[in-house]
Amino acid sequence: MVLPLVLVLAFSLTSQIEAELQVGFYRDKCRAAESVVKDEVKKAFDRDRGIAPGLLRLHFHDCFVRGCDASILIDSTPMNVGEKDGPPNVNTLCGTKVIDSAKARLEAECKGVVSCADILAFAARDAVEISNGFGWSVPAGRRDGRVSLASETLDIPAPFLNLDQLTQSFAKKGLTQEEMVTLCYTTPAGAHTIGHAHCTSFSNRLYDFNALSSQDPSLNPLYAEDLKRQCPRGPQGTVDPNLVVDMNFSPAVMDSSYYTDVLRHRGLFTSDQALTTSQATARQVTTYAVNGLLWESEFAKAMVKMSQIEVLTGTDGEIRTNCRVINNSN
């Protein structure tokens, strides 16, 4: 069988990346790398359990723009608006200080060795593990990008996408529809099973949904009434952007309860409920709802694959001294 050239090239590139990223990459370069990151995540989690979904979301949003290169951590300047100030991220990112703390400690121990991109990948894994969940081995060796543009954050899947749009968004990053269903709740507002969401990210489903219905008919009516109580309209007909709600019944635990919620029409976002609009994705949702161990296994594999999207390795990019600023930028 002769493979199409595009598949051959894709396989070659994937194999090259997998060869350059290695589990235990810092074993002989900075032995404390992963333990330092985990320690900082644990300290932050002990102060605020909401840090876990924040770190997972931070990694996801980073990987979907220019690949997993920590470009999301670069601060905006008078001359450039960075990713963290793009529409999906502005005033909603959580976890950057954890990355800063880990980076400062690692610079003191192993100056110029551990990349911000790897710290972010480790921290996302640790956030899942520490929140009563499970972990996985993280291949490392990423280098940091030098470009961060708010305009490119449009690549991040939005909460109002339908199934075809979601599938296309993930496919652009080399992820299958099956992997999309597995990872879907890491966006748009954090890991659904261990997080919270701003009311404004789904209030369109509660008020003025379309010309035929003020409320999204695919939303469980009792759930919708509960959400309206938590996200009321103000005098001007708008919802307070500072109001948040729990993602589901176990907002501090990493589990597959998200899929049970979707089956009960309690998916918070349009993009959540979209997972039930095809036989294939609905079947996968049902499987995960009843088999949490299978979902954990598939999630770990999908996270490893996602963390290798368009990574910089070798001599590409740099190892930032400060995750917020590119080197020699002053």
Side-chain angles (χ1 to χ4, degrees), residues 45-61:
F45 184 76
D46 288 342
R47 293 190 299 268
D48 176 13
R49 294 169 71 87
I51 201 69
L55 286 168
L56 194 55
R57 178 178 187 253
L58 193 62
H59 183 43
F60 182 97
H61 281 209

PDB file of all heavy atoms in Angstrom, residues 45-61:
ATOM      1  N   PHE A  45      -2.388  24.900  44.728  1.00  0.00           N
ATOM      2  CA  PHE A  45      -3.649  24.168  44.860  1.00  0.00           C
ATOM      3  C   PHE A  45      -4.131  24.181  46.304  1.00  0.00           C
ATOM      4  O   PHE A  45      -5.333  24.284  46.564  1.00  0.00           O
ATOM      5  CB  PHE A  45      -3.457  22.733  44.378  1.00  0.00           C
ATOM      6  CG  PHE A  45      -4.714  21.913  44.391  1.00  0.00           C
ATOM      7  CD1 PHE A  45      -5.692  22.089  43.418  1.00  0.00           C
ATOM      8  CD2 PHE A  45      -4.925  20.955  45.367  1.00  0.00           C
ATOM      9  CE1 PHE A  45      -6.850  21.332  43.421  1.00  0.00           C
ATOM     10  CE2 PHE A  45      -6.082  20.187  45.378  1.00  0.00           C
ATOM     11  CZ  PHE A  45      -7.050  20.380  44.412  1.00  0.00           C
ATOM     12  N   ASP A  46      -3.205  24.092  47.248  1.00  0.00           N
ATOM     13  CA  ASP A  46      -3.587  24.135  48.659  1.00  0.00           C
ATOM     14  C   ASP A  46      -4.199  25.486  49.025  1.00  0.00           C
ATOM     15  O   ASP A  46      -5.051  25.576  49.909  1.00  0.00           O
ATOM     16  CB  ASP A  46      -2.366  23.868  49.549  1.00  0.00           C
ATOM     17  CG  ASP A  46      -1.920  22.410  49.490  1.00  0.00           C
ATOM     18  OD1 ASP A  46      -2.728  21.561  49.056  1.00  0.00           O
ATOM     19  OD2 ASP A  46      -0.764  22.123  49.870  1.00  0.00           O
ATOM     20  N   ARG A  47      -3.765  26.542  48.339  1.00  0.00           N
ATOM     21  CA  ARG A  47      -4.320  27.879  48.591  1.00  0.00           C
ATOM     22  C   ARG A  47      -5.634  28.086  47.848  1.00  0.00           C
ATOM     23  O   ARG A  47      -6.536  28.757  48.344  1.00  0.00           O
ATOM     24  CB  ARG A  47      -3.316  28.961  48.162  1.00  0.00           C
ATOM     25  CG  ARG A  47      -2.045  29.018  49.001  1.00  0.00           C
ATOM     26  CD  ARG A  47      -1.242  30.269  48.670  1.00  0.00           C
ATOM     27  NE  ARG A  47      -0.817  30.315  47.273  1.00  0.00           N
ATOM     28  CZ  ARG A  47       0.352  29.846  46.827  1.00  0.00           C
ATOM     29  NH1 ARG A  47       1.201  29.276  47.677  1.00  0.00           N
ATOM     30  NH2 ARG A  47       0.664  29.938  45.557  1.00  0.00           N
ATOM     31  N   ASP A  48      -5.712  27.535  46.635  1.00  0.00           N
ATOM     32  CA  ASP A  48      -6.881  27.766  45.783  1.00  0.00           C
ATOM     33  C   ASP A  48      -7.048  26.585  44.841  1.00  0.00           C
ATOM     34  O   ASP A  48      -6.282  26.427  43.888  1.00  0.00           O
ATOM     35  CB  ASP A  48      -6.704  29.062  44.992  1.00  0.00           C
ATOM     36  CG  ASP A  48      -7.833  29.318  44.008  1.00  0.00           C
ATOM     37  OD1 ASP A  48      -8.875  28.631  44.092  1.00  0.00           O
ATOM     38  OD2 ASP A  48      -7.661  30.203  43.133  1.00  0.00           O
ATOM     39  N   ARG A  49      -8.066  25.763  45.098  1.00  0.00           N
ATOM     40  CA  ARG A  49      -8.286  24.572  44.280  1.00  0.00           C
ATOM     41  C   ARG A  49      -8.634  24.931  42.832  1.00  0.00           C
ATOM     42  O   ARG A  49      -8.490  24.105  41.926  1.00  0.00           O
ATOM     43  CB  ARG A  49      -9.396  23.720  44.899  1.00  0.00           C
ATOM     44  CG  ARG A  49      -8.998  23.137  46.251  1.00  0.00           C
ATOM     45  CD  ARG A  49     -10.191  22.531  46.984  1.00  0.00           C
ATOM     46  NE  ARG A  49     -10.655  21.315  46.363  1.00  0.00           N
ATOM     47  CZ  ARG A  49     -10.175  20.105  46.629  1.00  0.00           C
ATOM     48  NH1 ARG A  49      -9.203  19.963  47.504  1.00  0.00           N
ATOM     49  NH2 ARG A  49     -10.666  19.031  46.028  1.00  0.00           N
ATOM     50  N   GLY A  50      -9.067  26.159  42.605  1.00  0.00           N
ATOM     51  CA  GLY A  50      -9.396  26.587  41.250  1.00  0.00           C
ATOM     52  C   GLY A  50      -8.188  26.718  40.349  1.00  0.00           C
ATOM     53  O   GLY A  50      -8.330  26.893  39.137  1.00  0.00           O
ATOM     54  N   ILE A  51      -6.983  26.607  40.926  1.00  0.00           N
ATOM     55  CA  ILE A  51      -5.780  26.732  40.107  1.00  0.00           C
ATOM     56  C   ILE A  51      -5.630  25.562  39.152  1.00  0.00           C
ATOM     57  O   ILE A  51      -5.022  25.675  38.086  1.00  0.00           O
ATOM     58  CB  ILE A  51      -4.520  26.853  41.012  1.00  0.00           C
ATOM     59  CG1 ILE A  51      -3.356  27.487  40.234  1.00  0.00           C
ATOM     60  CG2 ILE A  51      -4.105  25.507  41.560  1.00  0.00           C
ATOM     61  CD1 ILE A  51      -3.560  28.934  39.902  1.00  0.00           C
ATOM     62  N   ALA A  52      -6.196  24.400  39.516  1.00  0.00           N
ATOM     63  CA  ALA A  52      -6.043  23.198  38.685  1.00  0.00           C
ATOM     64  C   ALA A  52      -6.646  23.384  37.288  1.00  0.00           C
ATOM     65  O   ALA A  52      -5.948  23.205  36.283  1.00  0.00           O
ATOM     66  CB  ALA A  52      -6.634  21.983  39.387  1.00  0.00           C
ATOM     67  N   PRO A  53      -7.932  23.738  37.173  1.00  0.00           N
ATOM     68  CA  PRO A  53      -8.477  23.952  35.825  1.00  0.00           C
ATOM     69  C   PRO A  53      -7.804  25.112  35.116  1.00  0.00           C
ATOM     70  O   PRO A  53      -7.691  25.121  33.894  1.00  0.00           O
ATOM     71  CB  PRO A  53      -9.961  24.225  36.072  1.00  0.00           C
ATOM     72  CG  PRO A  53     -10.049  24.657  37.483  1.00  0.00           C
ATOM     73  CD  PRO A  53      -8.979  23.889  38.205  1.00  0.00           C
ATOM     74  N   GLY A  54      -7.339  26.095  35.887  1.00  0.00           N
ATOM     75  CA  GLY A  54      -6.665  27.235  35.274  1.00  0.00           C
ATOM     76  C   GLY A  54      -5.388  26.830  34.561  1.00  0.00           C
ATOM     77  O   GLY A  54      -5.105  27.291  33.440  1.00  0.00           O
ATOM     78  N   LEU A  55      -4.606  25.966  35.182  1.00  0.00           N
ATOM     79  CA  LEU A  55      -3.349  25.515  34.571  1.00  0.00           C
ATOM     80  C   LEU A  55      -3.613  24.630  33.357  1.00  0.00           C
ATOM     81  O   LEU A  55      -2.902  24.714  32.341  1.00  0.00           O
ATOM     82  CB  LEU A  55      -2.517  24.760  35.603  1.00  0.00           C
ATOM     83  CG  LEU A  55      -1.854  25.641  36.667  1.00  0.00           C
ATOM     84  CD1 LEU A  55      -1.309  24.785  37.801  1.00  0.00           C
ATOM     85  CD2 LEU A  55      -0.731  26.474  36.052  1.00  0.00           C
ATOM     86  N   LEU A  56      -4.633  23.787  33.441  1.00  0.00           N
ATOM     87  CA  LEU A  56      -4.975  22.934  32.306  1.00  0.00           C
ATOM     88  C   LEU A  56      -5.421  23.783  31.118  1.00  0.00           C
ATOM     89  O   LEU A  56      -5.008  23.557  29.971  1.00  0.00           O
ATOM     90  CB  LEU A  56      -6.079  21.967  32.729  1.00  0.00           C
ATOM     91  CG  LEU A  56      -6.361  20.779  31.818  1.00  0.00           C
ATOM     92  CD1 LEU A  56      -5.107  19.958  31.567  1.00  0.00           C
ATOM     93  CD2 LEU A  56      -7.446  19.910  32.426  1.00  0.00           C
ATOM     94  N   ARG A  57      -6.239  24.762  31.383  1.00  0.00           N
ATOM     95  CA  ARG A  57      -6.714  25.661  30.328  1.00  0.00           C
ATOM     96  C   ARG A  57      -5.555  26.464  29.736  1.00  0.00           C
ATOM     97  O   ARG A  57      -5.480  26.687  28.523  1.00  0.00           O
ATOM     98  CB  ARG A  57      -7.770  26.606  30.905  1.00  0.00           C
ATOM     99  CG  ARG A  57      -8.308  27.635  29.915  1.00  0.00           C
ATOM    100  CD  ARG A  57      -9.377  28.489  30.577  1.00  0.00           C
ATOM    101  NE  ARG A  57     -10.034  29.363  29.632  1.00  0.00           N
ATOM    102  CZ  ARG A  57      -9.846  30.683  29.573  1.00  0.00           C
ATOM    103  NH1 ARG A  57      -8.999  31.262  30.401  1.00  0.00           N
ATOM    104  NH2 ARG A  57     -10.495  31.406  28.702  1.00  0.00           N
ATOM    105  N   LEU A  58      -4.638  26.906  30.597  1.00  0.00           N
ATOM    106  CA  LEU A  58      -3.493  27.697  30.143  1.00  0.00           C
ATOM    107  C   LEU A  58      -2.673  26.900  29.128  1.00  0.00           C
ATOM    108  O   LEU A  58      -2.260  27.430  28.077  1.00  0.00           O
ATOM    109  CB  LEU A  58      -2.643  28.071  31.353  1.00  0.00           C
ATOM    110  CG  LEU A  58      -1.558  29.141  31.184  1.00  0.00           C
ATOM    111  CD1 LEU A  58      -2.176  30.483  30.792  1.00  0.00           C
ATOM    112  CD2 LEU A  58      -0.766  29.283  32.490  1.00  0.00           C
ATOM    113  N   HIS A  59      -2.435  25.639  29.412  1.00  0.00           N
ATOM    114  CA  HIS A  59      -1.669  24.777  28.510  1.00  0.00           C
ATOM    115  C   HIS A  59      -2.427  24.566  27.201  1.00  0.00           C
ATOM    116  O   HIS A  59      -1.845  24.649  26.114  1.00  0.00           O
ATOM    117  CB  HIS A  59      -1.407  23.447  29.208  1.00  0.00           C
ATOM    118  CG  HIS A  59      -0.562  22.483  28.435  1.00  0.00           C
ATOM    119  ND1 HIS A  59       0.573  22.865  27.743  1.00  0.00           N
ATOM    120  CD2 HIS A  59      -0.683  21.131  28.245  1.00  0.00           C
ATOM    121  CE1 HIS A  59       1.117  21.804  27.178  1.00  0.00           C
ATOM    122  NE2 HIS A  59       0.367  20.749  27.455  1.00  0.00           N
ATOM    123  N   PHE A  60      -3.720  24.295  27.289  1.00  0.00           N
ATOM    124  CA  PHE A  60      -4.540  24.086  26.097  1.00  0.00           C
ATOM    125  C   PHE A  60      -4.511  25.326  25.204  1.00  0.00           C
ATOM    126  O   PHE A  60      -4.269  25.237  24.000  1.00  0.00           O
ATOM    127  CB  PHE A  60      -5.973  23.764  26.511  1.00  0.00           C
ATOM    128  CG  PHE A  60      -6.900  23.493  25.355  1.00  0.00           C
ATOM    129  CD1 PHE A  60      -7.173  22.196  24.950  1.00  0.00           C
ATOM    130  CD2 PHE A  60      -7.504  24.534  24.667  1.00  0.00           C
ATOM    131  CE1 PHE A  60      -8.023  21.946  23.878  1.00  0.00           C
ATOM    132  CE2 PHE A  60      -8.353  24.301  23.599  1.00  0.00           C
ATOM    133  CZ  PHE A  60      -8.612  22.997  23.202  1.00  0.00           C
ATOM    134  N   HIS A  61      -4.758  26.487  25.785  1.00  0.00           N
ATOM    135  CA  HIS A  61      -4.800  27.719  24.999  1.00  0.00           C
ATOM    136  C   HIS A  61      -3.434  28.061  24.418  1.00  0.00           C
ATOM    137  O   HIS A  61      -3.336  28.658  23.344  1.00  0.00           O
ATOM    138  CB  HIS A  61      -5.324  28.875  25.855  1.00  0.00           C
ATOM    139  CG  HIS A  61      -6.811  28.863  26.005  1.00  0.00           C
ATOM    140  ND1 HIS A  61      -7.549  30.016  26.189  1.00  0.00           N
ATOM    141  CD2 HIS A  61      -7.704  27.844  25.993  1.00  0.00           C
ATOM    142  CE1 HIS A  61      -8.838  29.694  26.277  1.00  0.00           C
ATOM    143  NE2 HIS A  61      -8.945  28.385  26.174  1.00  0.00           N
TER     144      HIS A  61
END
